[in-house]
Amino acid sequence: MQSHASFSDVSELQLSVHGPVFTPADPGFAPEVAAFNLSTHHQPDLAFGALDAEDVSAAVRWAAERGMPVSVQSTGHGATNAIEGGLLISTRRMLELSIDPLEKTARVGAGVRWKAVVELAATFGLMGLCGSTSDVGVVGYTLGGGLPILGRKYGFASDHVIAFELVTADGTRRRVTKEENPELFYLLRGGKGNLGIVTAIEFHLFPAADLYAGGLYFDGEHAATVLQQFSDWVTSLPQEASASLAFLRLPDMDIIPEPLRGKFVVHLRYAYQGDAMVASQLLEPMRQSAPFMMDGTGPLDVTQFDMIHQDPDQPVPVRERGFLLDRLDGAARDAILRHFGPDVESPVLMAELRLLGGALAKSADGDDTVGARDAAFSFFMAGMAVPPLAELLPVVFDAVREDLRDASNGGTFVNLHGHFVDAEDRERAWGPTVRERLRKAKAEFDPKNMFSFGHVVGLPVIDQTVLLEDVVTAGGDAVLNS
């Protein structure tokens, strides 16, 4: 596909939309394309800030007429691989947000972040299925499945979508529900950005009361003991409880609480919705596993979700890698400690185990494309992508993955996949059957592969024999395109 536009082309785009259009020479271009991940530097040919779904539709039609590839970004939290060329459509101005407290549903535009939903829903005693940080965009998070804090109780965020508003590669706006466009409904729930740009979604909300959550911090010298206890403890947790364990090498910075500053610590994250006494009793084996430095667990308002994982709320340069584990046996624990234990110097800032299972193991509304249903844990690593660490991280990531190969199920969760290294890796979040269904739909709705950035599948392989026969039949005048 071509990846440039003339002055007249740009002028035509400006006249067909309401939002701002930026060329690389414009002062607003850099902030428009900037990602939350500061190590990812997008370089599209043009950037467009859409105001609504009609803007998105008009911009996609404009790009389609010129054979120009299209990418989309809201917050840029998932920007692990840089965009080069084409038209980048920014949806961060699309801030539609409404809640129906009687039906317990929400409708959000493509630019809305979870924080806005959490705060508004809480005024009605409700909550959405927010993940470890409320700073991410609702739409991008949900298209990848969306792993909530309380996922073991409620399932993935995509399990509870009612409808998508989608713009496909020809600029057509489609409403996608279980009854209307059911194949697209199946594929969008976990299929990320393969088939178009989602401009809005509608989804169910849940009661927000009785949340007991927070974190326990242990000195890293107790990493082996805490990891052993964690692996035993999670086997008996009810699905109302969710947990994760992170090995953190915290920087010596003022934003870090004094007892933890510059330390290697093990951070247990915990969330339970229900009786506070039961929640505390369930946590007791981990409290007793080793002396802890800080205990931040207790009754928590849903508007304080971010206190559980303590994810960074400011843009940082990071490199990430994730995959799924079937088990956390002795060999897997030994491998983790070899790379992230107390006596190891590692460029990895965080290595994290998230407990899956419970309601995450089965779709709440028919089949979908979420690739983490059968796994026991998500394993995720992140490090600061600054010299000289940036060069070391891929080597460590590869070594860790190799050492955990026996415990891995071979797949990934697309939202926690991280940087992909090649075409095969970028689509590893989906099994063979799902990949083929995505390819078939892509051939129908995006036959020229306009949406070719990020975690997407390739188009179906063309049967070259058939094409050659067509050339012969046409007297040799046809042009073979591969």
Side-chain angles (χ1 to χ4, degrees), residues 74-87:
S74 175
T75 68
H77 277 79
T80 55
N81 289 67
I83 293 163
E84 294 186 9
L87 172 67

mmCIF file with all atom_site columns, all heavy atoms in Angstrom, residues 74-87:
data_model
loop_
_atom_site.group_PDB
_atom_site.id
_atom_site.type_symbol
_atom_site.label_atom_id
_atom_site.label_alt_id
_atom_site.label_comp_id
_atom_site.label_asym_id
_atom_site.label_entity_id
_atom_site.label_seq_id
_atom_site.pdbx_PDB_ins_code
_atom_site.Cartn_x
_atom_site.Cartn_y
_atom_site.Cartn_z
_atom_site.occupancy
_atom_site.B_iso_or_equiv
_atom_site.pdbx_formal_charge
_atom_site.auth_seq_id
_atom_site.auth_comp_id
_atom_site.auth_asym_id
_atom_site.auth_atom_id
_atom_site.pdbx_PDB_model_num
ATOM 1  N N   . SER A 1 74 ? -5.344 5.511  21.089 1.00 0.00 ? 74 SER A N   1
ATOM 2  C CA  . SER A 1 74 ? -6.074 6.327  22.062 1.00 0.00 ? 74 SER A CA  1
ATOM 3  C C   . SER A 1 74 ? -5.095 6.857  23.101 1.00 0.00 ? 74 SER A C   1
ATOM 4  O O   . SER A 1 74 ? -4.636 7.986  23.022 1.00 0.00 ? 74 SER A O   1
ATOM 5  C CB  . SER A 1 74 ? -7.182 5.506  22.723 1.00 0.00 ? 74 SER A CB  1
ATOM 6  O OG  . SER A 1 74 ? -7.821 6.257  23.739 1.00 0.00 ? 74 SER A OG  1
ATOM 7  N N   . THR A 1 75 ? -4.705 6.017  24.063 1.00 0.00 ? 75 THR A N   1
ATOM 8  C CA  . THR A 1 75 ? -3.768 6.457  25.105 1.00 0.00 ? 75 THR A CA  1
ATOM 9  C C   . THR A 1 75 ? -2.329 6.102  24.782 1.00 0.00 ? 75 THR A C   1
ATOM 10 O O   . THR A 1 75 ? -1.409 6.701  25.314 1.00 0.00 ? 75 THR A O   1
ATOM 11 C CB  . THR A 1 75 ? -4.127 5.822  26.457 1.00 0.00 ? 75 THR A CB  1
ATOM 12 O OG1 . THR A 1 75 ? -3.874 4.404  26.396 1.00 0.00 ? 75 THR A OG1 1
ATOM 13 C CG2 . THR A 1 75 ? -5.591 6.056  26.796 1.00 0.00 ? 75 THR A CG2 1
ATOM 14 N N   . GLY A 1 76 ? -2.107 5.085  23.966 1.00 0.00 ? 76 GLY A N   1
ATOM 15 C CA  . GLY A 1 76 ? -0.754 4.658  23.650 1.00 0.00 ? 76 GLY A CA  1
ATOM 16 C C   . GLY A 1 76 ? -0.132 3.755  24.685 1.00 0.00 ? 76 GLY A C   1
ATOM 17 O O   . GLY A 1 76 ? 1.071  3.484  24.635 1.00 0.00 ? 76 GLY A O   1
ATOM 18 N N   . HIS A 1 77 ? -0.939 3.228  25.637 1.00 0.00 ? 77 HIS A N   1
ATOM 19 C CA  . HIS A 1 77 ? -0.383 2.297  26.617 1.00 0.00 ? 77 HIS A CA  1
ATOM 20 C C   . HIS A 1 77 ? 0.070  0.991  25.968 1.00 0.00 ? 77 HIS A C   1
ATOM 21 O O   . HIS A 1 77 ? 1.020  0.362  26.417 1.00 0.00 ? 77 HIS A O   1
ATOM 22 C CB  . HIS A 1 77 ? -1.422 1.990  27.699 1.00 0.00 ? 77 HIS A CB  1
ATOM 23 C CG  . HIS A 1 77 ? -1.483 3.019  28.782 1.00 0.00 ? 77 HIS A CG  1
ATOM 24 N ND1 . HIS A 1 77 ? -2.145 4.210  28.621 1.00 0.00 ? 77 HIS A ND1 1
ATOM 25 C CD2 . HIS A 1 77 ? -0.981 3.039  30.038 1.00 0.00 ? 77 HIS A CD2 1
ATOM 26 C CE1 . HIS A 1 77 ? -2.043 4.923  29.734 1.00 0.00 ? 77 HIS A CE1 1
ATOM 27 N NE2 . HIS A 1 77 ? -1.334 4.242  30.597 1.00 0.00 ? 77 HIS A NE2 1
ATOM 28 N N   . GLY A 1 78 ? -0.622 0.577  24.924 1.00 0.00 ? 78 GLY A N   1
ATOM 29 C CA  . GLY A 1 78 ? -0.275 -0.681 24.273 1.00 0.00 ? 78 GLY A CA  1
ATOM 30 C C   . GLY A 1 78 ? 0.663  -0.527 23.100 1.00 0.00 ? 78 GLY A C   1
ATOM 31 O O   . GLY A 1 78 ? 0.812  -1.447 22.301 1.00 0.00 ? 78 GLY A O   1
ATOM 32 N N   . ALA A 1 79 ? 1.311  0.619  22.988 1.00 0.00 ? 79 ALA A N   1
ATOM 33 C CA  . ALA A 1 79 ? 2.170  0.901  21.832 1.00 0.00 ? 79 ALA A CA  1
ATOM 34 C C   . ALA A 1 79 ? 3.543  0.273  22.030 1.00 0.00 ? 79 ALA A C   1
ATOM 35 O O   . ALA A 1 79 ? 4.510  0.932  22.392 1.00 0.00 ? 79 ALA A O   1
ATOM 36 C CB  . ALA A 1 79 ? 2.297  2.408  21.633 1.00 0.00 ? 79 ALA A CB  1
ATOM 37 N N   . THR A 1 80 ? 3.642  -1.028 21.773 1.00 0.00 ? 80 THR A N   1
ATOM 38 C CA  . THR A 1 80 ? 4.915  -1.718 21.954 1.00 0.00 ? 80 THR A CA  1
ATOM 39 C C   . THR A 1 80 ? 5.772  -1.677 20.695 1.00 0.00 ? 80 THR A C   1
ATOM 40 O O   . THR A 1 80 ? 6.993  -1.713 20.776 1.00 0.00 ? 80 THR A O   1
ATOM 41 C CB  . THR A 1 80 ? 4.676  -3.178 22.353 1.00 0.00 ? 80 THR A CB  1
ATOM 42 O OG1 . THR A 1 80 ? 3.823  -3.793 21.371 1.00 0.00 ? 80 THR A OG1 1
ATOM 43 C CG2 . THR A 1 80 ? 4.001  -3.261 23.713 1.00 0.00 ? 80 THR A CG2 1
ATOM 44 N N   . ASN A 1 81 ? 5.149  -1.642 19.523 1.00 0.00 ? 81 ASN A N   1
ATOM 45 C CA  . ASN A 1 81 ? 5.879  -1.575 18.248 1.00 0.00 ? 81 ASN A CA  1
ATOM 46 C C   . ASN A 1 81 ? 5.519  -0.288 17.530 1.00 0.00 ? 81 ASN A C   1
ATOM 47 O O   . ASN A 1 81 ? 4.350  0.091  17.457 1.00 0.00 ? 81 ASN A O   1
ATOM 48 C CB  . ASN A 1 81 ? 5.529  -2.775 17.372 1.00 0.00 ? 81 ASN A CB  1
ATOM 49 C CG  . ASN A 1 81 ? 6.120  -4.058 17.890 1.00 0.00 ? 81 ASN A CG  1
ATOM 50 O OD1 . ASN A 1 81 ? 5.733  -4.539 18.946 1.00 0.00 ? 81 ASN A OD1 1
ATOM 51 N ND2 . ASN A 1 81 ? 7.058  -4.628 17.147 1.00 0.00 ? 81 ASN A ND2 1
ATOM 52 N N   . ALA A 1 82 ? 6.522  0.402  17.010 1.00 0.00 ? 82 ALA A N   1
ATOM 53 C CA  . ALA A 1 82 ? 6.303  1.717  16.409 1.00 0.00 ? 82 ALA A CA  1
ATOM 54 C C   . ALA A 1 82 ? 5.547  1.615  15.083 1.00 0.00 ? 82 ALA A C   1
ATOM 55 O O   . ALA A 1 82 ? 5.711  0.671  14.319 1.00 0.00 ? 82 ALA A O   1
ATOM 56 C CB  . ALA A 1 82 ? 7.636  2.417  16.191 1.00 0.00 ? 82 ALA A CB  1
ATOM 57 N N   . ILE A 1 83 ? 4.710  2.612  14.837 1.00 0.00 ? 83 ILE A N   1
ATOM 58 C CA  . ILE A 1 83 ? 3.975  2.751  13.585 1.00 0.00 ? 83 ILE A CA  1
ATOM 59 C C   . ILE A 1 83 ? 4.821  3.572  12.620 1.00 0.00 ? 83 ILE A C   1
ATOM 60 O O   . ILE A 1 83 ? 5.331  4.635  12.986 1.00 0.00 ? 83 ILE A O   1
ATOM 61 C CB  . ILE A 1 83 ? 2.623  3.452  13.837 1.00 0.00 ? 83 ILE A CB  1
ATOM 62 C CG1 . ILE A 1 83 ? 1.714  2.554  14.674 1.00 0.00 ? 83 ILE A CG1 1
ATOM 63 C CG2 . ILE A 1 83 ? 1.949  3.854  12.535 1.00 0.00 ? 83 ILE A CG2 1
ATOM 64 C CD1 . ILE A 1 83 ? 0.547  3.290  15.304 1.00 0.00 ? 83 ILE A CD1 1
ATOM 65 N N   . GLU A 1 84 ? 4.978  3.081  11.420 1.00 0.00 ? 84 GLU A N   1
ATOM 66 C CA  . GLU A 1 84 ? 5.751  3.805  10.405 1.00 0.00 ? 84 GLU A CA  1
ATOM 67 C C   . GLU A 1 84 ? 4.902  3.960  9.149  1.00 0.00 ? 84 GLU A C   1
ATOM 68 O O   . GLU A 1 84 ? 4.454  2.980  8.559  1.00 0.00 ? 84 GLU A O   1
ATOM 69 C CB  . GLU A 1 84 ? 7.048  3.061  10.081 1.00 0.00 ? 84 GLU A CB  1
ATOM 70 C CG  . GLU A 1 84 ? 8.017  3.008  11.251 1.00 0.00 ? 84 GLU A CG  1
ATOM 71 C CD  . GLU A 1 84 ? 9.343  2.390  10.873 1.00 0.00 ? 84 GLU A CD  1
ATOM 72 O OE1 . GLU A 1 84 ? 9.574  2.168  9.670  1.00 0.00 ? 84 GLU A OE1 1
ATOM 73 O OE2 . GLU A 1 84 ? 10.150 2.128  11.781 1.00 0.00 ? 84 GLU A OE2 1
ATOM 74 N N   . GLY A 1 85 ? 4.678  5.199  8.744  1.00 0.00 ? 85 GLY A N   1
ATOM 75 C CA  . GLY A 1 85 ? 3.926  5.488  7.537  1.00 0.00 ? 85 GLY A CA  1
ATOM 76 C C   . GLY A 1 85 ? 2.427  5.439  7.751  1.00 0.00 ? 85 GLY A C   1
ATOM 77 O O   . GLY A 1 85 ? 1.924  5.072  8.812  1.00 0.00 ? 85 GLY A O   1
ATOM 78 N N   . GLY A 1 86 ? 1.702  5.844  6.720  1.00 0.00 ? 86 GLY A N   1
ATOM 79 C CA  . GLY A 1 86 ? 0.254  5.779  6.747  1.00 0.00 ? 86 GLY A CA  1
ATOM 80 C C   . GLY A 1 86 ? -0.393 6.884  7.552  1.00 0.00 ? 86 GLY A C   1
ATOM 81 O O   . GLY A 1 86 ? 0.233  7.881  7.931  1.00 0.00 ? 86 GLY A O   1
ATOM 82 N N   . LEU A 1 87 ? -1.675 6.700  7.824  1.00 0.00 ? 87 LEU A N   1
ATOM 83 C CA  . LEU A 1 87 ? -2.481 7.645  8.579  1.00 0.00 ? 87 LEU A CA  1
ATOM 84 C C   . LEU A 1 87 ? -2.743 7.100  9.965  1.00 0.00 ? 87 LEU A C   1
ATOM 85 O O   . LEU A 1 87 ? -3.294 5.999  10.119 1.00 0.00 ? 87 LEU A O   1
ATOM 86 C CB  . LEU A 1 87 ? -3.820 7.882  7.861  1.00 0.00 ? 87 LEU A CB  1
ATOM 87 C CG  . LEU A 1 87 ? -4.864 8.710  8.611  1.00 0.00 ? 87 LEU A CG  1
ATOM 88 C CD1 . LEU A 1 87 ? -4.398 10.157 8.774  1.00 0.00 ? 87 LEU A CD1 1
ATOM 89 C CD2 . LEU A 1 87 ? -6.219 8.653  7.910  1.00 0.00 ? 87 LEU A CD2 1
#
